[in-house]
Amino acid sequence: MKESKRELDSEEFIEKSCFRCGKDLPPGSLYYVVHVRVFSGFDGFVNEPEEGVDQSLRQLLEQINSSAPEALEKEVYEEITLMVCKPCRDHLVNVIKQPWEGPFQIQKDPDPILH
């Protein structure tokens, strides 16, 4: 069999396993890549603190100075990349589309009347 021109130690040939169930994903097998970006949102409104803006800013600066930069970054933005097998992909997609189990179902057509 003719050897590929790709380097055998490249990332593509590293043993892979499903993030969720741990199943081995050998080279050439079917797997899915899940890329998640989680970032803070801003709706354009800033609530004025009761203790005043100056005191609030001082407290915020103290928190920032006492926190690790990596932790602060994760509060604002984080990316996660996972590899999953087909059954775990199906499960993950189902959980994302229908996250609530039990009595709290998401309404597809919510009642137009506000309660």
Side-chain angles (χ1 to χ4, degrees):
M1 192 169 197
K2 189 175 181 179
E3 192 170 312
S4 173
K5 290 184 180 181
R6 295 182 189 164
E7 293 179 10
L8 294 178
D9 61 347
S10 74
E11 189 175 322
E12 293 180 49
F13 293 99
I14 294 174
E15 288 289 324
K16 298 173 182 155
S17 60
C18 176
F19 172 80
R20 183 170 177 266
C21 71
K23 175 184 173 183
D24 287 337
L25 302 169
S29 66
L30 177 64
Y31 68 91
Y32 294 85
V33 176
V34 179
H35 188 77
V36 180
R37 292 186 316 157
V38 181
F39 51 93
S40 62
F42 179 61
D43 62 4
F45 292 95
V46 177
N47 296 324
E48 188 172 328
E50 291 179 18
E51 67 271 5
V53 174
D54 291 339
Q55 177 63 25
S56 180
L57 285 174
R58 275 193 286 281
Q59 290 174 345
L60 183 59
L61 286 172
E62 287 174 13
Q63 287 176 333
I64 290 171
N65 289 331
S66 65
S67 299
E70 297 82 15
L72 292 171
E73 183 179 341
K74 286 184 178 185
E75 288 291 320
V76 177
Y77 183 85
E78 187 169 6
E79 287 188 29
I80 304 163
T81 302
L82 313 169
M83 286 184 291
V84 294
C85 64
K86 171 77 166 112
C88 290
R89 175 253 180 233
D90 294 345
H91 176 78
L92 180 61
V93 168
N94 186 46
V95 167
I96 290 169
K97 287 183 177 179
Q98 299 176 2
W100 303 108
E101 293 181 9
F104 303 103
Q105 296 292 324
I106 293 176
Q107 295 181 359
K108 293 192 189 257
D109 297 315
D111 189 0
I113 300 172
L114 296 175
H115 298 278

